[in-house]
Amino acid sequence: GAGVSQSPSNKVTEKGKDVELRCDPISGHTALYWYRQSLGQGLEFLIYFQGNSAPDKSGLPSDRFSAERTGGSVSTLTIQRTQQEDSAVYLCASSPDPNTGELFFGEGSRLTVL
Amino acid sequence: QKEVEQNSGPLSVPEGAIASLNCTYSDRGSQSFFWYRQYSGKSPELIMSIYSNGDKEDGRFTAQLNKASQYVSLLIRDSQPSDSATYLCAVNKSGNTGKLIFGQGTTLQVKP
């Protein structure tokens, strides 16, 4: 009965480098979400997957951001050519049924771009 | 206009009082509404969901929904210091039931 697992928990990188953030959802959860939370702010929707497909990518801030999900399980969020404004906590959540609105969140990946 | 709006606070109430947290949303077709609680340094957790106009009670928590006014609220009775947290309102976009949009959250401080 493990929860949503995210890695790395902390990542410090230099401006211009690429980073990959990983999310391992709760087993059997078909829906997977990525949100971003800047200091003192709410959750900014990035993308959500139903199975392996992404019905809504509208929240991705720019073409430097991409995400994929394989095998209906693990998801990777990739940020290319990182900028300082990308610094935030990236939260992944999964849900057994997106209609319920019940999301189970991981502990997040804190990204700091120097 | 933000899709989901909340007063960021902080809202400060004495222990034992009723805390009232408010949220408005812009998508008139939204059908599902949720309140999440986020303790400092932790991830959000779902505490209430509401789908129909009126009140829904769960222990010390009551969610209220008024679709005509596009307004959702959360009442916390007998507030405790352990209720001190940020409360996030979330709304499912109409026509896209998987997309959950969050407000910026209201920070609640319950003082002993």
Side-chain angles (χ1 to χ4, degrees), chain A residues 8-19:
Chain A
S9 54
N10 277 287
K11 176 72 176 179
V12 179
T13 190
E14 293 179 347
K15 177 181 173 181
K17 300 282 190 180
D18 297 352
V19 297

Side-chain angles (χ1 to χ4, degrees), chain B residues 38-101:
Chain B
Q38 186 175 26
Y39 290 114
S40 180
K42 299 296 186 182
S43 295
E45 57 178 340
L46 179 68
I47 55 172
M48 289 287 286
S49 59
I50 187 165
Y51 306 95
S52 305
N53 280 329
D55 295 1
K56 179 181 178 182
E57 186 174 321
D58 184 1
R60 295 185 296 110
F61 298 92
T62 299
Q64 299 176 317
L65 174 61
N66 183 327
K67 290 184 180 180
S69 299
Q70 295 174 240
Y71 178 92
V72 192
S73 65
L74 179 70
L75 301 179
I76 306 174
R77 290 182 300 281
D78 188 25
S79 295
Q80 301 297 308
S82 58
D83 296 325
S84 298
T86 296
Y87 290 81
L88 299 159
C89 173
V91 177
N92 258 353
K93 290 281 290 182
S94 61
N96 188 342
T97 57
K99 184 175 181 178
L100 201 61
I101 302 300

Side-chain angles (χ1 to χ4, degrees), chain A residues 11-14 17-21 76-82 111 113:
Chain A
K11 176 72 176 179
V12 179
T13 190
E14 293 179 347
K17 300 282 190 180
D18 297 352
V19 297
E20 283 190 353
L21 307 177
T76 302
L77 176 69
T78 301
I79 309 172
Q80 295 179 310
R81 305 181 302 282
T82 51
L111 174 65
V113 182

Side-chain angles (χ1 to χ4, degrees), chain A residues 33 35 37 40-43 45 48 55-56 58-59 91 98-108, chain B residues 2 32 34 36 38 41-46 49 51 88 92 96-105:
Chain A
Y33 301 76
Y35 287 88
Q37 188 170 35
Q41 301 298 310
L43 275 64
F45 172 84
Y48 112 88
D56 194 324
S58 63
L91 288 164
N99 294 313
T100 66
E102 184 170 17
L103 274 56
F104 296 81
F105 283 86
E107 292 302 311
Chain B
K2 292 182 180 178
S32 308
F34 310 91
Y36 279 75
Q38 186 175 26
K42 299 296 186 182
S43 295
E45 57 178 340
L46 179 68
S49 59
Y51 306 95
L88 299 159
N92 258 353
N96 188 342
T97 57
K99 184 175 181 178
L100 201 61
I101 302 300
F102 285 80
Q104 68 179 76

